[in-house]
Amino acid sequence: MEQVVANPWAMLAYLVAGICFILALRGLSSPVSSRRGNRFGMFGMALAVGTTLVTHQIASLPEIGIAILLGGIVGFITARKIAMTAMPQLVAAFHSLVGLAAVLVAVAAYLNPAAFGIAEPGGAIHQVSRIEMGLGIAIGAITFSGSVIAFLKLNGNMSGKPIMLPGRHVINLGTLALILGLIAYFLTDEAPWVFFTITGLSFLIGFLLIIPIGGADMPVVVSMLNSYSGWAAAAMGFTLHNTAMIITGALVGSSGAILSYIMCAAMNRSFISVIAGGFGGDAGAASGGGQAIDRPWKRGSAEDAAFLMSQAEQVIIVPGYGMAVAQAQHALREMADLLKAEGVTVKYAIHPVAGRMPGHMNVLLAEANVPYDEVFELEDINSEFAQTDVAFVIGANDVTNPAAKTDKTSPIYGMPVLDVEKAKTVLFVKRSMGGVGYAGVDNEVFYRDNTMMLLADAKKMVEEIVKSLGK
């Protein structure tokens, strides 16, 4: 692909596309404006791709057209069929594709630099392009392999517990140092062994960085991998001299990094340790608390729950991944409507990492047309549990676990949690007492005197409560 001329109209089109991407990110910051944000993003990407095809000499437009058509069909079918519960692993899979694309572009540019306009008269690759290529392939490979591990953990193909390798910090730091050293050496020697060794080590370090991270921290990982994919695209944009890729990659990379930082602050995690892949906990923490505690607990019924909530002044609903799996959000909204009709104040408490990705619970509640003014983040509602009659926890485990505040051996220690145990009554919807949370930790709330366990599929339990409220 070779650019014909520095067309000022092309630069203007790329600028408009960049503005559309910024408006897309702004729109996606709220469920209210998310659809509008998606439309801005779609238009901006269509404009950027169209401008690139028009202003560059393309080897075969029909082939590119067929590829776009096939990719569009696959994307459309996937979007129509994918369940919301599988959205986090789908995002991780998409991140891996972005990383792999960056790697393939870098390999193509290395094998035929003249076609990409990065070759000197003698055939050698420009010095600056070598830096861009080295960084692009390293970040892209890390994104790909790290996203594969994230997908396997999210999809249940790999344990959600931290997998601790002996001497992992030394191995990770040594591998990263070797990659950076080889990129520097690549400036003086563009031999194939240097280029492909950088590629291989980058794939390896991606695996090593994500394996030690536990399931409770996986939403931050997804966000960080999103950032990595953006930086990989930006680096390849410099290699291809494509302004749209640079703008898009920088926007995705910076927004993902900012979101990761915010989430780390919300979870009391170190941002630097996220980047280094070292916040999965130590060996002791990884093994602590994995078994269910054999202690007395109280079981309740849908009728009990309906009576307690109908007599309450305020009910705070705490949704989690179990609600997503059961697709119980519509029944939950119906239950809330019945309670409000009886004069009960209903609010929803959302933990920053509830579910498997940022905003997972917000999207599900928005899908069920839950009013936005009833949904509150952790820092805005946590103080209200002490004055609340009923905390209705539906499928949320780790984010309500007091062990995060008291047990230093727990892999979730230090993570802010929703203080549901302070409510007068806790109704906890869970499939059975045999399982533990995604982080592999049992929840002490199950055994509190003010807790009543509602053991059933989340959707079926809420539907039974709705029937009892309607009598």
Side-chain angles (χ1 to χ4, degrees):
M1 181 176 67
E2 182 180 350
Q3 187 167 351
V4 179
V5 64
N7 190 331
W9 290 106
M11 299 307 296
L12 178 60
Y14 285 145
L15 177 61
V16 173
I19 294 173
C20 287
F21 296 144
I22 294 173
L23 293 174
L25 290 175
R26 179 67 181 87
L28 292 173
S29 63
S30 169
V32 181
S33 56
S34 58
R35 289 189 176 182
R36 184 172 67 249
N38 266 322
R39 294 189 187 101
F40 274 120
M42 293 166 63
F43 176 78
M45 184 55 66
L47 179 61
V49 171
T51 301
T52 300
L53 294 177
V54 170
T55 58
H56 289 70
Q57 290 180 346
I58 306 298
S60 176
L61 280 175
E63 290 181 0
I64 291 181
I66 292 172
I68 292 175
L69 178 63
L70 292 176
I73 292 173
V74 172
F76 179 81
I77 294 175
T78 302
R80 295 283 294 181
K81 289 190 173 183
I82 196 72
M84 274 303 303
T85 51
M87 193 59 67
Q89 47 264 53
L90 177 66
V91 171
F94 282 169
H95 288 164
S96 72
L97 294 178
V98 175
L100 184 60
V103 172
L104 294 176
V105 169
V107 171
Y110 175 76
L111 296 176
N112 192 2
F116 289 80
I118 59 174
E120 296 176 351
I125 302 173
H126 292 307
Q127 292 282 314
V128 174
S129 296
R130 294 188 198 183
I131 298 175
E132 298 164 355
M133 190 182 299
L135 292 175
I137 199 166
I139 300 173
I142 290 171
T143 303
F144 172 76
S145 53
S147 297
V148 169
I149 295 298
F151 173 85
L152 294 175
K153 283 177 174 278
L154 290 166
N155 205 45
N157 304 109
M158 179 181 289
S159 172
K161 296 182 181 180
I163 300 174
M164 302 301 175
L165 301 177
R168 67 188 185 282
H169 296 303
V170 175
I171 296 173
N172 290 349
L173 289 174
T175 306
L176 286 171
L178 185 56
I179 291 172
L180 293 175
L182 286 171
I183 292 175
Y185 182 71
F186 190 52
L187 291 173
T188 61
D189 185 359
E190 59 179 79
W193 75 267
V194 180
F195 179 83
F196 289 107
T197 301
I198 293 172
T199 306
L201 289 174
S202 299
F203 279 124
L204 176 63
I205 194 63
F207 287 115
L208 296 176
L209 288 174
I210 306 303
I211 282 178
I213 298 176
D217 297 320
M218 198 52 62
V220 187
V221 175
V222 173
S223 176
M224 200 67 234
L225 289 170
N226 177 58
S227 178
Y228 289 167
S229 68
W231 297 125
M236 287 300 97
F238 281 106
T239 300
L240 299 175
H241 306 293
N242 189 292
T243 307
M245 282 188 68
I246 297 172
I247 294 173
T248 307
L251 285 172
V252 173
S254 57
S255 61
I258 291 170
L259 177 60
S260 299
Y261 179 81
I262 293 173
M263 294 179 68
C264 285
M267 295 175 63
N268 195 29
R269 303 300 197 199
S270 166
F271 181 69
I272 299 300
S273 65
V274 175
I275 299 174
F279 74 109
D282 55 28
S287 60
Q291 298 297 323
I293 305 171
D294 185 13
R295 289 164 54 183
W297 51 276
K298 292 188 296 184
R299 181 167 187 168
S301 65
E303 290 77 12
D304 297 329
F307 175 78
L308 288 169
M309 287 192 287
S310 63
Q311 300 302 308
E313 291 185 6
Q314 176 167 289
V315 173
I316 297 180
I317 299 172
V318 181
Y321 189 65
M323 183 199 75
V325 172
Q327 290 289 287
Q329 62 269 26
H330 296 281
L332 192 66
R333 192 216 65 211
E334 186 178 357
M335 182 189 81
D337 289 343
L338 289 173
L339 290 173
K340 287 186 290 184
E342 296 188 22
V344 180
T345 300
V346 178
K347 297 182 179 181
Y348 297 81
I350 306 296
H351 192 278
V353 294
R356 294 293 183 267
M357 64 183 292
H360 198 178
M361 294 300 104
N362 302 75
V363 172
L364 286 173
L365 294 178
E367 182 187 30
N369 295 318
V370 171
Y372 300 121
D373 58 358
E374 295 179 4
V375 181
F376 297 87
E377 300 297 329
L378 177 145
E379 63 272 12
D380 298 323
I381 200 170
N382 225 12
S383 61
E384 293 192 29
F385 281 105
Q387 293 80 41
T388 296
D389 297 298
V390 178
F392 186 82
V393 185
I394 176 168
N397 196 335
D398 297 326
V399 298
T400 63
N401 196 334
K405 298 177 288 186
T406 59
D407 186 1
K408 293 184 178 181
T409 67
S410 172
I412 62 172
Y413 180 72
M415 181 179 78
V417 293
L418 291 162
D419 297 329
V420 298
E421 76 278 4
K422 295 182 180 180
K424 294 178 183 177
T425 301
V426 180
L427 300 175
F428 212 112
V429 182
K430 193 173 183 289
R431 281 185 176 272
S432 69
M433 294 298 294
V436 293
Y438 192 59
V441 185
D442 199 23
N443 195 337
E444 185 186 339
V445 173
F446 301 160
Y447 314 99
R448 295 281 180 105
D449 292 336
N450 64 329
T451 299
M452 182 179 294
M453 301 301 298
L454 306 175
L455 303 184
D457 173 82
K459 185 177 181 180
K460 291 181 179 178
M461 175 55 70
V462 176
E463 288 175 344
E464 290 178 10
I465 293 174
V466 168
K467 290 179 182 178
S468 298
L469 288 172
K471 291 180 180 179

